[in-house]
Amino acid sequence: MKMYGNWRSAAAFRVRIALNLKGIAYEEVFLDLDAGDQHKPDFLKINPQGAVPALFDGDGPPLTQSLAILDYLEETRPGVSLLPEEPRARARARSLAQVVACDTHPLYVPRVRTFLMEHYGLPRERMLEFLRNAFTTGLKTLETRLSTEPGTGRFCQGDAVSHADLCLISLWVGTGIFDIETAPYPTVKRIAEELLALDAVARAHPLRQPGAPAS
Amino acid sequence: MKMYGNWRSAAAFRVRIALNLKGIAYEEVFLDLDAGDQHKPDFLKINPQGAVPALFDGDGPPLTQSLAILDYLEETRPGVSLLPEEPRARARARSLAQVVACDTHPLYVPRVRTFLMEHYGLPRERMLEFLRNAFTTGLKTLETRLSTEPGTGRFCQGDAVSHADLCLISLWVGTGIFDIETAPYPTVKRIAEELLALDAVARAHPLRQPGAPAS
């Protein structure tokens, strides 16, 4: 497979982990988001939304949106499953994933940060208050749910890695990048540390991709 | 089934349509979001995120996040299917759904609008510029994809209603509420009109729910 991504994209990180866990060989083309590669005509032909990731499986049309890609991989490469079998457990794993992928991550992507700074004239530090509010709201929801709902195990849903974990860790690594306090979220932290200890996650880590800063 | 929702919630609208199309009987408890019902202790026990919809199927734990609920209904009540069979077509339907449910709708929910007004002191009219940017960015992506990708048919993905359509129409009805210009999106409009002509969609329409204004 061939993926268009970027070292710091939380959505590309989720897909890299799934590909690694399922043992699918892939190459990643790293777009330079700061240089605006995602808005250039060549890439807009691949994804008119101008967003990564975009995944090619053979010569089919590009697959976009990280959660849709995760479900596609689940349906076409079910060997190592990243969703539980039982429908309520699946629904819980998906719901936790969407707390991140729908209600948190889209609030701090570059185009939102740019709009806040350019349209409202907010200096970067004040713009970051919006971003930090998104992070803490998402982390608080995850912590409350993971620490009180009986479905939580070694990972978000039971003892196997699921889509919920891929999303959790994609948010967690952002706390370092954006200097978000993590002490109030011990359950999220415990699961994040379990995940970071997995080779499939470690190899997919943003800081281990081309273009990433040294630390 | 029993759902906690609200007349104007785009996410609850999606789920109502799915329940109607699948012929599943349900009652809806309408929270008063302006009065803050979603942040009261009784509801936070149901969904710690303080967001609708929350769906009860029998005496199981609450199901949350609209896309996770749609997949749960698909897996447990497959009779009338709202996703195509073929994996790439499924992935496209899901990707289009997520353009709305991940990248557009979360940017204009009440908690974001409130944060922009209260934290940055933006007057309502200026806050709405953020909301309108989210709408137009989402609508533009949908229009470009729907008008150029070969998968589009009578509906977003082929000739059968899918999750993509439930999300499209949940965005479309917001263009009326928030006075968003719709002329640049003729393909979105055509599909929206097909959908609004369906009884299952018409009955689920926000303006036909308790608590909605007369027009």
Side-chain angles (χ1 to χ4, degrees), chain A residues 52-111:
Chain A
V52 293
L55 182 75
F56 286 87
D57 179 11
D59 55 5
L63 302 154
T64 56
Q65 289 287 342
S66 67
L67 294 183
I69 292 173
L70 295 182
D71 274 315
Y72 173 84
L73 294 174
E74 193 65 20
E75 290 168 358
T76 59
R77 273 77 169 178
V80 175
S81 178
L82 299 177
L83 281 175
E85 272 294 305
E86 196 277 314
R88 286 180 190 276
R90 283 169 87 84
R92 180 170 176 270
R94 283 189 162 121
S95 172
L96 288 165
Q98 289 162 26
V99 166
V100 174
C102 296
D103 288 345
T104 308
H105 178 223
L107 297 174
Y108 68 85
V109 293
R111 68 184 169 84

Side-chain angles (χ1 to χ4, degrees), chain A residues 57 64 88 95 120 126, chain B residues 57 64 88 95 120 126 129:
Chain A
D57 179 11
T64 56
R88 286 180 190 276
S95 172
Y120 291 127
R126 290 230 65 200
Chain B
D57 180 12
T64 56
R88 285 180 191 275
S95 172
Y120 291 126
R126 290 230 67 200
E129 295 161 7

